[in-house]
Structure formats: C-alpha cells, structure tokens
Amino acid sequence: TDETGLYAELHKVMSETFTGSIRLSGSQRDGSNWLKPNPGAGVTEVSDPSTAFSSSAIFSPTLADRRQEKIKLFGNWQPDEKLALQFTAEGGTNKYTMPTAYALQNTRLSLYSVDGTYAISDNWNLTAYASWGQQTQNQARPAGSVMAFETTNTSAGLGVTGKPTSKLEVGGTLSYVNEKSVYAQSLETYAGADSAALLAATGGLPSMTFRQTALKLFGKYDLDKNSVIGANLVYARVLSNDWAWGWNGTPYTYGDNTTMSLNQNQSMTYVGVTYTYKF
C-alpha cells in the first residue's frame, strides 16, 4: 500500500490570554492489485477484482483503499499565572473501497477533551482532565446483515504533585475510564427469514463494558546530588464483560478444546522501589 497526505494548520492569538488553532488534514491510501489464491500456482494478481472474486468475499480493511478526512480544533486559555486550560475537539471519517460491499465500509471519530493545571503555590500543583470520545465502524456482512460497532469512551482524572521539602517530591493521580461498545444491528432488504427470526429472538449481539478506576502514588527523595530513591504504588480495579471470553458461564474454547474464562471483576496492586545514581 502507499498513502499520500496533506494538511493545513492555522494558529491565531485571540487575546492576551487565549490562543487557538485549527488543523485540516486528508489522505488517500492506494496500492497494488489484489492477489487471489490459485491452486497449484500459489497466488496470482487480479486485474479486475469485481469479476474475479465471489460477491460475498470479505477483504481486510488494512489493505483496502481508504480516504481519510480530519479536522482538529485546539485552544489554550491562561487567565493568570496560576491557571492554564487546554481544549481539544476532533472529528474525522474514513471511507474504504473494496471489490465487494462486505466488511468495513466507513468509520467516524469524535473526540472532546479538556486539560487543566493550577499552581496552588510555588511547590504544589493540581492537574485535572476529562475527555469523551466515540468511534463508529459501519460494516456489512453476507446473509444480509448490517452492523455498526460503536465504542464510547469517557475518562477523567485528578492529580497533585508537590515538594514538601527541597529534597522530597510526592504526588498522586486518581483516574477513571468507562468504555462501552455496542453492536447496532439491522437487516438488508433481501435478508432471509431465518436471519430476521434470529435477530428478533436474540436482539443481536450484546454490548461490552470496560471500566477502570486507578490510584497512583509516587515519591522521590534526593539522598545527595547524585543519588535518588523513589517509590511507586498503584492500585486499580477493573470491570470487563467481554463475552468473547465467556458467556453465561460458558468459557471460550480453543481448537484443541482448551478453555479459558475471564473474571469480570479484577483488582491489581503494584509496589515498586527505584534507586538512581547519576554519574
């Protein structure tokens, strides 16, 4: 594959306390002809994929021709020496071209975030952030089903760093992530009665949730001008109900009948001590 991209970016000072920018970008990915398995001859190049492949063939989106368009807005507001805020808004689309209508067709992306820092004093700083993003992948599959895989991510965090003494630095962050993936399914007009009955009976594929809350603490102490000792503590709790690894008590089964189950609620504790010597 080969890809050519172009972007333009404009920066402007709106006032003494606010600056902003806008960035437009686009790219076109192309590549060589597709290859097709040929019994006895390995693979051969296909000059006309519309006739060489089955109408229900599915192609990898990483190899497909793709048109990408994105826009990004950024703003930085610093009303005084203590407070600074950064704002970001981003959106984009990807459109894929393949020999058949199946597999991934297009995607959409939206992201909004705000980051801030506040100087409590000369030795203590407060940081915070929040973001919301959504990505949608639209794809069609054989047997007349159409599916949109939509992932929504919400995250936030709060942190503090400081120097109680000239040799000691401490800090910590508390973060939260909530990600939900939903399969929105419908049927094409020529879908069979069996497909319609299955979708009506099951409601489609269930959604998936990933949720994490993490607390991170650290400390560093200067023993002398060359030696620093540090310590880190991390505690996290995770909820993940990815049904690919088990559903209603039935674990995932590999080809050799090995099974694997996923504990939906997990926790992790990490303690680390470091020593640094500067030559």
Side-chain angles (χ1 to χ4, degrees):
T1 60
D2 58 80
E3 185 167 349
T4 303
L6 181 68
Y7 79 90
E9 190 166 352
L10 177 65
H11 296 260
K12 182 174 178 59
V13 178
M14 308 293 185
S15 66
E16 294 182 354
T17 61
F18 187 83
T19 59
S21 66
I22 180 172
R23 179 188 176 104
L24 300 174
S25 62
S27 65
Q28 180 69 48
R29 185 176 70 189
D30 213 324
S32 58
N33 290 337
W34 292 94
L35 301 178
K36 182 179 180 180
N38 190 351
V43 293
T44 56
E45 187 172 305
V46 174
S47 58
D48 186 4
S50 63
T51 59
F53 294 106
S54 167
S55 61
S56 61
I58 298 178
F59 296 82
S60 171
T62 58
L63 300 177
D65 294 347
R66 182 190 68 184
R67 173 66 180 175
Q68 184 181 84
E69 298 175 345
K70 295 177 67 177
I71 181 172
K72 182 178 181 180
L73 303 175
F74 176 79
N76 182 72
W77 182 49
Q78 188 169 358
D80 54 47
E81 295 181 352
K82 292 185 176 182
L83 178 63
L85 296 173
Q86 293 84 41
F87 306 90
T88 302
E90 187 173 355
T93 60
N94 290 302
K95 295 182 179 180
Y96 298 87
T97 303
M98 304 187 203
T100 67
Y102 296 114
L104 191 61
Q105 297 176 326
N106 59 75
T107 65
R108 298 190 308 273
L109 170 68
S110 300
L111 176 65
Y112 306 93
S113 66
V114 56
D115 296 81
T117 59
Y118 180 75
I120 303 174
S121 65
D122 293 338
N123 296 326
W124 291 88
N125 291 304
L126 190 66
T127 61
Y129 70 89
S131 67
W132 181 90
Q134 188 174 79
Q135 183 179 24
T136 303
Q137 303 178 51
N138 295 308
Q139 55 186 319
R141 300 176 64 86
S145 61
V146 180
M147 181 169 63
F149 181 63
E150 185 177 84
T151 301
T152 304
N153 183 290
T154 304
S155 62
L158 181 66
V160 61
T161 59
K163 299 192 68 173
T165 68
S166 60
K167 293 186 176 183
L168 177 64
E169 181 181 357
V170 296
T173 59
L174 179 63
S175 61
Y176 174 77
V177 176
N178 184 30
E179 183 177 282
K180 186 174 183 180
S181 300
V182 178
Y183 291 91
Q185 295 176 261
S186 61
L187 296 176
E188 293 182 336
T189 55
Y190 54 83
D194 55 342
S195 298
L198 178 62
L199 183 60
T202 62
L205 296 172
S207 59
M208 297 181 297
T209 299
F210 174 84
R211 191 176 297 129
Q212 176 181 279
T213 304
L215 174 65
K216 302 179 181 180
L217 304 174
F218 78 90
K220 294 191 297 182
Y221 184 78
D222 296 334
L223 299 175
D224 52 48
K225 65 178 182 179
N226 301 108
S227 302
V228 179
I229 187 172
N232 294 275
L233 170 65
V234 179
Y235 176 75
R237 290 185 61 86
V238 174
L239 165 67
S240 178
N241 65 352
D242 187 346
W243 47 263
W245 303 105
W247 180 250
N248 287 337
T250 303
Y252 180 83
T253 303
Y254 290 90
D256 60 356
N257 289 325
T258 302
T259 60
M260 188 185 79
S261 299
L262 174 69
N263 185 1
Q264 292 190 8
N265 295 281
Q266 302 183 38
S267 62
M268 181 273 293
T269 302
Y270 168 82
V271 178
V273 178
T274 60
Y275 173 79
T276 305
Y277 184 80
K278 303 176 184 178
F279 294 94

